[in-house]
Amino acid sequence: MVEDFKALRVIPEGPVLKVELSSPETGNAVSGLVLDELLAVLGTLQDETGVRVLILSGAGQDFCLGGDRREFGELLAADPGGAELRVLANKARRVCDALATANAVTVARLQGGVIGAGMALALFCDLRAGADNCRFRMPELALGMPPAWGGALPRLLNETGAARIRELILTGASFDAAKAAELSILHKVVAEEELDDAIRQWTKPLLRRSPVALRTAKVMMNAYAGANRLADATLFDAELMTSVLAAAASDRRV
């Protein structure tokens, strides 16, 4: 895979594909460009490419500090009805779906801030390893937004349980790596300098597994995780986020 990406650094290493959010000057904020490039990379994993493991990481001191709120404002200013923002929100959902359903096993390598949209990207990875300096936060309500980015809320509730996560969503409180492990948001917590070794401990046995068996196991786990839902309410996420932000922008203009 050789492409000229602007917001990502993509490093193929045989059956392992490393994908790094590469805008540390913005805290690796998730913009429309980031989503487009992630979709391009993840789209290839639906085919037989030989990639068995994808490792998603972030450059600099933080994995990702959230969505690009400046871009949200620009899109609403250009289109107060929110059509362009709705397109962006739908891209976010497609990226998260692609992480969860990729033929490769997706692994999140986390350090520093893992905030909002960054936390959503991590949650949709199959396995998550974090440095002990990680700090997590879901700030949407404090920013006047519903927790409706990429379908992350049902994923979070399914991974952790509603009672355990309700306080963190409603208060927007920050929590550390130890708490994230307690909530099953992280599978492993290690010192930052040990992160790559921790991920290699996962990668080595994964590369020995049958590709067909791995894909089937992922399909089964995704299916069983969603078996108790009568409908996929995440389809409304783009509409919910757009309507709330558009209404808030309209109120400010009055």
Side-chain angles (χ1 to χ4, degrees):
M1 178 185 297
V2 179
E3 292 192 40
D4 184 20
F5 293 105
K6 296 180 180 178
L8 302 180
R9 183 167 173 250
V10 178
I11 307 170
E13 295 183 354
V16 177
L17 183 66
K18 295 182 177 180
V19 179
E20 182 184 68
L21 308 176
S22 61
S23 303
E25 68 281 0
T26 70
N28 296 317
V30 181
S31 63
L33 176 61
V34 171
L35 294 173
D36 286 337
E37 293 189 352
L38 283 172
L39 283 172
V41 173
L42 293 166
T44 67
L45 300 186
Q46 302 304 322
D47 303 321
E48 282 295 338
T49 61
V51 174
R52 307 279 295 280
V53 178
L54 180 145
I55 300 170
L56 181 65
S57 63
Q61 64 182 9
D62 299 301
F63 171 70
C64 176
L65 297 183
D68 188 340
R69 296 197 297 275
R70 182 180 64 179
E71 185 176 48
F72 291 174
E74 290 172 351
L75 291 175
L76 280 174
D79 177 12
E84 291 301 316
L85 183 58
R86 193 173 291 108
V87 169
L88 183 72
N90 278 317
K91 283 182 187 178
R93 185 179 184 280
R94 288 164 53 205
V95 166
C96 290
D97 280 348
L99 282 169
T101 61
N103 285 334
V105 175
T106 51
V107 179
R109 181 195 185 280
L110 310 174
Q111 84 284 349
V114 187
I115 312 296
M119 188 169 165
L121 292 177
L123 280 167
F124 278 91
C125 290
D126 299 310
L127 298 171
R128 300 176 290 274
D132 54 13
N133 66 3
C134 280
R135 62 189 191 282
F136 297 80
R137 187 168 175 246
M138 294 164 286
E140 287 85 355
L141 290 182
L143 298 171
M145 299 168 55
W149 195 94
L153 181 57
R155 177 81 171 192
L156 182 61
L157 295 175
N158 188 65
E159 297 280 278
T160 66
R164 307 187 74 191
I165 209 66
R166 187 176 293 117
E167 177 188 10
L168 297 175
I169 290 176
L170 294 177
T171 65
S174 178
F175 55 101
D176 61 12
K179 181 68 173 178
E182 179 189 331
L183 293 169
S184 300
I185 292 170
L186 287 178
H187 297 97
K188 284 186 180 182
V189 178
V190 296
E192 187 169 4
E193 61 271 19
E194 297 172 6
L195 261 179
D196 292 325
D197 283 339
I199 290 173
R200 274 192 289 269
Q201 289 174 19
W202 279 332
T203 303
K204 287 180 180 179
L206 287 171
L207 296 181
R208 295 195 295 267
R209 303 290 182 258
S210 157
V212 175
L214 273 180
R215 287 199 301 270
T216 303
K218 282 193 60 169
V219 169
M220 291 173 66
M221 286 186 283
N222 286 331
Y224 289 133
N228 61 344
R229 297 204 304 265
L230 294 177
D232 187 356
T234 64
L235 294 170
F236 298 112
D237 272 13
E239 188 64 40
L240 290 168
M241 187 180 84
T242 301
S243 61
V244 171
L245 290 178
S250 177
D251 288 344
R252 286 194 295 271
R253 288 192 295 269
V254 173

